Amino acid sequence: MANNFNTEKRKRLKTDPEKTKKELRKRKKKLVVIAFSVCILLGILAFIAYVVIPAFDSGINIERSEIITGNFYSEDEITPEIIDIYEKEYKYKGYIAYTFDGQTSYVNSQSAYSSGGKTAEFFVKYFDAVAEGDKNAYSLLFSPGFDFSKDPYASGKIDFPPQRIYDVSVELSEEIYDKNSGITKGTFFVDYRIYCNEGNFRIDIDKDHAFSPLVFETETFGDEIKIVDIYHRYGK
């Protein structure tokens, strides 16, 4: 009886080729889906291995001079209406948002020291100089060892016009004091916009007021603070 049953089953399998073809097609589809999924996974892993991990290993690693938008307003495009809108709605009035230990204060030259100490006061001076186009005051904020190819205006040898900056924020990320040298090294995250940017100070911010966040590294010795490096924050 068992032999008859097995024989009958084999006959049915042999005489049902359409069912076999359907099963083969299903298997092929599954294999294609699996292969496609594996390719996507490998692509993601490669991106993490060759882009994400190296970027984080090197910290915040994009040089300021490497990012150029080339998308600016021309001088002829800066109409009285644009100036009027900036003056009424966006104008920098000497205040910056300064964040220290998770607390943010809006400070100007009068309140900076009491709210955030000499570093807050330093950054108010920085942005006052940018807003006023004061190359002498601006250059005094940089260390002689600063790489002026990253910011030619920091040398004090090149003029730049007043900048229509706004939405200015500075966040203290880290401070390390070296007992041997007496130098405090600071790392700050700096964001700001330029209204209708003409590319005559920042060539890495496009004309439509986008942020291009920076990292400032400073050294403080006694009461003197100097900028020793500026570069872009990774991933913003």
Side-chain angles (χ1 to χ4, degrees):
M1 183 73 180
N3 288 336
N4 291 336
F5 176 77
N6 290 333
T7 303
E8 192 66 30
K9 184 177 179 182
R10 283 195 296 272
K11 286 180 180 178
R12 286 201 302 270
L13 287 173
K14 290 179 181 178
T15 57
D16 195 4
E18 189 62 32
K19 183 177 179 181
T20 304
K21 288 180 181 179
K22 287 181 180 179
E23 289 178 352
L24 287 173
R25 283 197 294 268
K26 286 181 181 179
R27 290 179 184 176
K28 286 181 180 179
K29 287 181 180 179
K30 286 181 181 179
L31 289 173
V32 170
V33 170
I34 292 171
F36 183 71
S37 300
V38 169
C39 289
I40 292 176
L41 179 60
L42 290 174
I44 292 172
L45 292 174
F47 176 78
I48 293 172
Y50 292 102
V51 178
V52 177
I53 292 175
F56 280 101
D57 284 345
S58 60
I60 303 165
N61 65 346
I62 305 176
E63 294 293 350
R64 185 178 181 187
S65 58
E66 290 178 357
I67 301 178
I68 301 174
T69 71
N71 184 23
F72 311 118
Y73 277 83
S74 68
E75 187 176 349
D76 294 338
E77 291 177 302
I78 304 300
T79 63
E81 289 77 15
I82 286 177
I83 299 298
D84 189 55
I85 291 172
Y86 174 72
E87 293 287 334
K88 290 180 178 178
E89 299 182 27
Y90 298 100
K91 185 175 176 63
Y92 170 76
K93 297 180 180 178
Y95 283 87
I96 70 171
Y98 184 79
T99 301
F100 173 75
D101 281 347
Q103 300 295 318
T104 300
S105 302
Y106 289 88
V107 300
N108 62 5
S109 58
Q110 282 74 43
S111 62
Y113 188 84
S114 60
S115 298
K118 55 191 174 184
T119 51
E121 187 177 52
F122 174 85
F123 278 102
V124 170
K125 290 179 180 179
Y126 176 91
F127 285 106
D128 284 350
V130 173
E132 294 165 9
D134 188 338
K135 71 174 183 179
N136 295 322
Y138 186 75
S139 65
L140 289 174
L141 304 174
F142 290 82
S143 165
F146 180 81
D147 181 358
F148 296 115
S149 67
K150 293 184 177 182
D151 185 350
Y153 303 105
S155 67
K157 298 177 181 179
I158 304 174
D159 293 327
F160 63 90
Q163 298 296 303
R164 293 180 292 273
I165 60 173
Y166 68 107
D167 282 355
V168 179
S169 67
V170 178
E171 179 184 353
L172 172 60
S173 173
E174 183 181 49
E175 275 189 326
I176 300 174
Y177 176 69
D178 186 330
K179 292 181 180 180
N180 295 325
S181 65
I183 293 174
T184 299
K185 295 185 177 182
T187 302
F188 298 84
F189 296 157
V190 178
D191 292 355
Y192 65 97
R193 302 176 192 247
I194 299 178
Y195 189 76
C196 296
N197 185 26
E198 297 174 68
N200 49 21
F201 179 71
R202 292 281 301 274
I203 60 173
D204 54 338
I205 298 179
D206 71 22
K207 68 179 185 179
D208 293 320
H209 332 308
F211 281 113
S212 185
L214 300 173
V215 178
F216 282 51
E217 291 186 356
T218 65
E219 288 186 353
T220 303
F221 184 76
D223 291 328
E224 187 175 69
I225 304 175
K226 296 292 184 182
I227 298 167
V228 297
D229 200 5
I230 299 177
Y231 47 94
H232 281 93
R233 288 180 67 180
Y234 177 77
K236 283 191 76 175

